[in-house]
Amino acid sequence: MIMNKYYFGLLISLLFVCGCAPSNKPSDLPPLFPCALAFTMDGKPLEEASITLYPNDPALAKYTAGGITDAMGKVVLRTNGQFPGAPAGSFKIVVLKDSKPASEDSNRDPNTPPPPQKPVKSLIDKTFTSAASSPLEITVAEGNNEEKTFEVKPAK
């Protein structure tokens, strides 16, 4: 019986601490709205690409939204990497995806030096890798936003 009271008290304490913890959201963070995007390259989902939205309004410059695309080329935006959604406004979209260095061959003789690694290079056309040149734009509206799909070109 004493053990049950102990666990009950512990459970109530945990609920109080978890439910009443102060928010870590900055006080000047604007309202955020759900927004999902999809990206393709050559008509196929663009997997593991870094997506960043740069606001056209300088007042929002402190807060960038973005994320990493999944296997279907989709990304659900988060602001500053932690808050779900994006502020309302118009944005330029930057897309980054680099080649991955070849993984180490586990069957390689440990006494032989590893082969030189190929340099990492962008897989995306450089036009899409800078807010100054990217033709991709989106307007995030208050409320729910429909998923939009964007096509990017491969690097030349």
Side-chain angles (χ1 to χ4, degrees):
M1 185 71 166
I2 292 174
M3 202 60 140
N4 286 342
K5 287 182 183 179
Y6 170 77
Y7 285 120
F8 180 73
L10 182 62
L11 177 64
I12 295 299
S13 298
L14 284 173
L15 289 173
F16 178 76
V17 169
C18 293
C20 299
S23 172
N24 62 348
K25 284 188 178 180
S27 60
D28 62 343
L29 182 69
L32 304 177
F33 303 98
C35 189
L37 308 174
F39 292 84
T40 59
M41 185 166 65
D42 292 332
K44 298 175 190 155
L46 183 61
E47 184 178 3
E48 294 183 10
S50 172
I51 309 300
T52 306
L53 274 61
Y54 290 94
N56 291 327
D57 179 356
L60 295 176
K62 184 176 179 181
Y63 298 106
T64 57
I68 304 295
T69 58
D70 63 15
M72 298 304 297
K74 297 181 180 197
V75 61
V76 176
L77 298 178
R78 299 182 72 76
T79 295
N80 285 13
Q82 60 185 9
F83 308 113
S90 63
F91 299 84
K92 292 287 260 183
I93 303 172
V94 169
V95 182
L96 302 173
K97 181 174 174 139
D98 295 334
S99 63
K100 293 183 180 180
S103 60
E104 187 80 18
D105 182 7
S106 60
N107 295 326
R108 185 179 60 80
D109 179 358
N111 298 320
T112 306
Q117 293 213 348
K118 294 180 182 176
V120 176
K121 66 175 190 164
S122 176
L123 299 176
I124 307 293
D125 184 290
K126 66 180 180 176
T127 305
F128 299 95
T129 63
S130 163
S133 62
S134 179
L136 305 179
E137 295 190 61
I138 187 170
T139 298
V140 176
E142 294 184 8
N144 287 327
N145 292 274
E146 287 186 30
E147 181 177 293
K148 294 185 179 170
T149 300
F150 297 92
E151 174 78 14
V152 297
K153 296 177 183 173
K156 297 175 184 174

